[in-house]
Amino acid sequence: MEFRIERSALTEAVSWAARVLPVRSPVPVLGGLLLDTEGGGTDEGGGGTGDGRLRISGLDYEASARIDVEAEVLRPGKVLVMGRRLLDICKVLPDGPMECAGEGSRFTVSGDGARFGLSVLPLDDYPALPALPQVRGAVEAELFAAAVADVAVAAGRDDTLPALTGIRLGLDGDTMTLAATDRYRYAVRTLPWKATAPGESADVIVSARRLTEIARSLGRSGLVSVALDAGSAGFEHAGMRTTVRLLEGRLPRHEKLFTMEGPSVAVVDRARLTEAVKRVSVVADGDSPVQMTFSRADASVTLRAGYEDDVASQRLPAALEGSEELTVAFNPGYLADALASFAGPSLRLLLLGAGQRAMITDESGTGAHRHLLMSVKPQLA
């Protein structure tokens, strides 16, 4: 095989495909990237025709990635090379066009006087990439990426509870629901999507880490195709295709948890509250709480953190309905994560009281993005 390609295009494609490669694997070929060229050829003068495609693929036991980019293909063929080593080489290549060729047991990359050689891996030992599952519909790439980021902050980190490390991907007609919980908080985001068939439905769990990587990498414009079967999810966009194995189990249903009878409702500026939480949390040792006292008479909220002489406080404007005064407290990290997942100017906090559930939404109250937190009992001295 032999092809020419711009350094930037090669580096971006290798970086994208290498995301799924295992850090360590008992099977050496799984550390490889498969480079496959098609089309092209040479003209009468011996030069490239300018046509062709380079496909770069990688996989491990949990996920696969494939990307197609344009390349000037001189000789079609396939080669399997160590993916992370190729990525390291791409990062230090000089700018400009690269000449790449596979001959026997070596793959070479050269350009602007620099030349690198890589040994190749046995193609016969490389497993076939899994096929893309059945496409169920499509969603706007930018909206999807934002929604995944909004809920991923609530996903668990404990691998002994695999389902809680995932994001629920629910499909119901023209609505997609993304949700995640670690048992102490629960984030839900709904967004529109275009189903391929009326009444399309699904309810699966995808690794939060994998789905976050996928959503970030697929670009910020156009439609992302969403594919699902009994064991895997697939996503395709602008020449990029990736699959990931589904997690077993189910998340707790959020409908009852999110039903709050007669809450007090506070409205506060999002940016100012976010900054105030960050400021007072400086004196919050470990997971000691940030306390919030809302006053209807003063139209304010006072944030406090710390103990004894090491304390901090800040007062902000806030509207309160449903009670005259209310004090709640939250884990500062969980509260900061929740606030950072919103983008609107104002937030609504639905509060039941200390030690009970609290829900944060944007001021519109549409329910498209909701984040549930457990309030802890205030412990300030």
Side-chain angles (χ1 to χ4, degrees):
M1 62 143 21
E2 186 176 0
F3 62 94
R4 297 190 185 106
I5 188 171
E6 284 293 321
R7 179 256 186 186
S8 59
L10 178 64
T11 302
E12 289 177 8
V14 170
S15 298
W16 192 85
R19 293 176 307 105
V20 301
L21 297 181
V23 177
R24 296 181 182 85
S25 173
V27 184
V29 293
L30 291 185
L33 286 178
L34 179 63
L35 280 61
D36 184 359
T37 53
E38 290 184 2
T42 56
D43 57 26
E44 294 180 356
T49 64
D51 299 323
R53 182 214 68 201
L54 168 65
R55 172 171 290 173
I56 302 178
S57 309
L59 78 162
D60 71 1
Y61 294 112
E62 302 296 332
S64 72
R66 192 191 82 186
I67 182 169
D68 291 349
V69 291
E70 292 183 358
E72 185 180 354
V73 177
L74 305 180
R75 284 186 293 119
K78 296 181 181 181
V79 66
L80 183 66
V81 299
M82 291 304 297
R84 297 192 187 280
R85 177 60 58 85
L86 179 59
L87 179 58
D88 289 341
I89 290 172
C90 288
K91 290 177 179 177
V92 298
L93 288 172
D95 290 333
M98 295 294 116
E99 301 271 352
C100 303
E103 289 288 352
S105 62
R106 175 163 296 211
F107 177 73
T108 60
V109 182
S110 59
D112 195 24
R115 181 180 177 86
F116 294 86
L118 277 172
S119 57
V120 303
L121 299 170
L123 277 171
D124 292 343
D125 296 340
Y126 194 66
L129 241 64
L132 191 73
Q134 178 188 352
V135 174
R136 302 296 191 91
V139 62
E140 287 288 345
E142 183 175 9
L143 189 60
F144 180 63
V148 170
D150 287 344
V151 303
V153 296
R157 307 291 188 269
D158 185 358
D159 289 334
T160 63
L161 300 170
L164 296 186
T165 66
I167 292 176
R168 176 190 171 223
L169 174 58
L171 306 176
D172 185 8
D174 58 1
T175 300
M176 174 184 288
T177 300
L178 300 172
T181 180
D182 61 2
R183 295 181 299 177
Y184 304 103
R185 46 189 172 164
Y186 206 138
V188 175
R189 176 77 188 269
T190 58
L191 60 157
W193 88 306
K194 300 178 180 179
T196 55
E200 193 72 65
S201 65
D203 192 347
V204 299
I205 304 292
V206 184
S207 161
R209 179 178 66 84
R210 295 285 191 184
L211 191 58
T212 299
E213 290 177 350
I214 290 167
R216 285 175 179 169
S217 71
L218 287 176
R220 294 290 178 176
S221 62
L223 292 174
V224 173
S225 295
V226 180
L228 293 172
D229 61 19
S232 63
F235 304 88
E236 189 170 26
H237 174 65
M240 296 175 284
R241 173 184 291 186
T242 186
T243 65
V244 59
R245 184 178 297 178
L246 299 178
L247 298 179
E248 295 182 358
R250 299 278 184 181
L251 294 188
R253 303 299 295 189
H254 67 271
E255 288 82 358
K256 289 185 177 180
L257 288 172
F258 280 43
T259 300
M260 303 176 68
E261 298 292 337
S264 297
V265 180
V267 178
V268 63
D269 181 272
R270 178 194 58 82
R272 295 187 66 180
L273 179 59
T274 301
E275 187 63 30
V277 169
K278 184 187 303 182
R279 186 171 293 124
V280 302
S281 295
V282 169
V283 299
D285 293 329
D287 293 333
S288 63
V290 169
Q291 178 176 301
M292 305 170 68
T293 300
F294 293 89
S295 171
R296 183 173 183 176
D298 294 340
S300 68
V301 57
T302 301
L303 286 78
R304 295 185 178 88
Y307 297 104
E308 298 180 350
D309 293 329
D310 298 323
V311 294
S313 66
Q314 181 164 357
R315 187 182 181 199
L316 301 173
L320 179 65
E321 297 180 0
S323 59
E324 292 300 319
E325 186 172 286
L326 185 66
T327 298
V328 290
F330 300 99
N331 174 296
Y334 292 173
L335 180 58
D337 285 346
L339 297 177
S341 69
F342 289 87
S346 299
L347 297 176
R348 288 166 53 92
L349 282 71
L350 282 64
L351 308 168
L352 295 176
Q356 301 188 60
R357 290 167 293 148
M359 185 158 59
I360 304 173
T361 69
D362 60 28
E363 192 181 2
S364 67
T366 59
H369 180 196
R370 295 171 289 171
H371 197 113
L372 193 75
L373 288 172
M374 283 304 299
S375 167
V376 299
K377 293 184 179 180
Q379 298 177 1
L380 297 182

